[in-house]
Amino acid sequence: MRKIGENEFQVLDSYYDDGEGGGRAGLKRRSYKLRLLAPDKIELKQGNYPSSQFVRCPSDFRAAKSDVTVPPSNEAVQKKSSNASKPNLAPDSKIKETILFIYQQYLVLKICEAKGDGLINLNATRENLKKFDKSIRAKGYDPEAMFAQAKEVPFNEGLKILLVSVSMLPMSQGAEKAQLLSVCQRLIQNEAQSINLATNTLEPQDGSLEKAGEKDF
């Protein structure tokens, strides 16, 4: 990421092309311009394509549930029955996705800490992450390897917005700086909630977590 103007950046991003449509599958790179419109809103412009704007969803958006219950169709019931004997690989994929997201949130928080003039304290976050490390190690995941992978995997749009926002801390003043620091504090809370939820989900019942190793943050 390279700053090219006021609140404007040139971004070189990587993504995986699945080859659909006749293209060659594999990891590819793309370049686009990113403009920070607000702490929670960005605009992306790639080549001659029209620009697109993205807004970060509220922290409780993913936790929201619909009150409407839709009964399953006969086709859905039959499909569920036919797949009952097949192994379900989705949970492992979801666990990995959650692990990477938590580590990527922490990477953004480290920028908050580095650019926050000593106003952002991550001591509690690091202690929570050590417990999280034990949880995922007990499930067969290597925290060191997953943390390294989190640095390479492209961030989702919400984290990209946060990354650009907190990068502006050294150049911000007054109300703008206070707003960005508030964004960092909310992210600390989101990280704690994410870690607690994931740890409670992964924690075994035999107390074996205490025997697992941990890494330093």
Side-chain angles (χ1 to χ4, degrees), residues 41-59:
K41 186 177 183 180
I42 62 173
E43 179 183 78
L44 301 183
K45 180 74 169 64
Q46 182 177 359
N48 296 324
Y49 295 103
S51 61
S52 302
Q53 294 185 2
F54 299 87
V55 178
R56 182 173 182 265
C57 295
S59 60

Side-chain angles (χ1 to χ4, degrees), residues 2 57 130 162 170 179 185 187:
R2 178 172 58 88
C57 295
K130 289 178 180 179
L162 288 172
Q179 187 176 18
Q185 294 294 347
L187 185 59

Side-chain angles (χ1 to χ4, degrees), residues 31 34 50 57 65 105 181 196 216:
S31 178
L34 184 152
C57 295
K65 295 183 179 180
Q105 276 197 148
L181 289 172
N196 288 338
D216 291 330

Side-chain angles (χ1 to χ4, degrees), residues 108-182:
V108 176
L109 280 173
K110 288 185 70 176
I111 296 178
C112 284
E113 183 182 45
K115 299 181 181 294
D117 296 331
L119 299 175
I120 301 298
N121 188 326
L122 298 183
N123 289 341
T125 301
R126 291 189 176 95
E127 289 302 315
N128 286 337
L129 282 168
K130 289 178 180 179
K131 297 176 183 177
F132 179 67
D133 276 358
K134 294 178 182 179
S135 298
I136 67 174
R137 193 183 297 275
K139 285 292 182 179
Y141 294 93
D142 181 358
E144 294 284 355
M146 296 301 296
F147 188 65
Q149 187 175 347
K151 297 177 181 179
E152 303 297 330
V153 175
F155 286 27
N156 64 31
E157 297 300 334
L159 287 180
K160 285 180 182 178
I161 294 173
L162 288 172
L163 188 62
V164 174
S165 297
V166 301
S167 297
M168 302 293 293
L169 268 170
M171 296 167 279
S172 61
Q173 296 180 352
E176 182 184 5
K177 185 166 187 175
Q179 187 176 18
L180 291 176
L181 289 172
S182 176

Side-chain angles (χ1 to χ4, degrees), residues 20 37-40 46 62 68 73-74 80 113 129 134 138 142 161-162 191 211:
E20 184 176 355
L37 304 178
D40 61 349
Q46 182 177 359
R62 286 173 296 175
V68 180
S73 64
N74 290 335
K80 182 177 180 180
E113 183 182 45
L129 282 168
K134 294 178 182 179
D142 181 358
I161 294 173
L162 288 172
E191 179 78 332
K211 302 175 184 178

Side-chain angles (χ1 to χ4, degrees), residues 48-107:
N48 296 324
Y49 295 103
S51 61
S52 302
Q53 294 185 2
F54 299 87
V55 178
R56 182 173 182 265
C57 295
S59 60
D60 59 347
F61 177 79
R62 286 173 296 175
K65 295 183 179 180
S66 172
D67 293 331
V68 180
T69 302
V70 180
S73 64
N74 290 335
E75 181 181 355
V77 172
Q78 292 173 0
K79 184 176 181 181
K80 182 177 180 180
S81 176
S82 64
N83 290 335
S85 61
K86 296 180 181 179
N88 185 5
L89 300 180
D92 285 342
S93 176
K94 189 65 177 178
I95 290 173
K96 183 176 179 181
E97 179 182 331
T98 300
I99 293 171
L100 293 176
F101 178 75
I102 286 174
Y103 282 151
Q104 287 184 333
Q105 276 197 148
Y106 175 66
L107 290 172

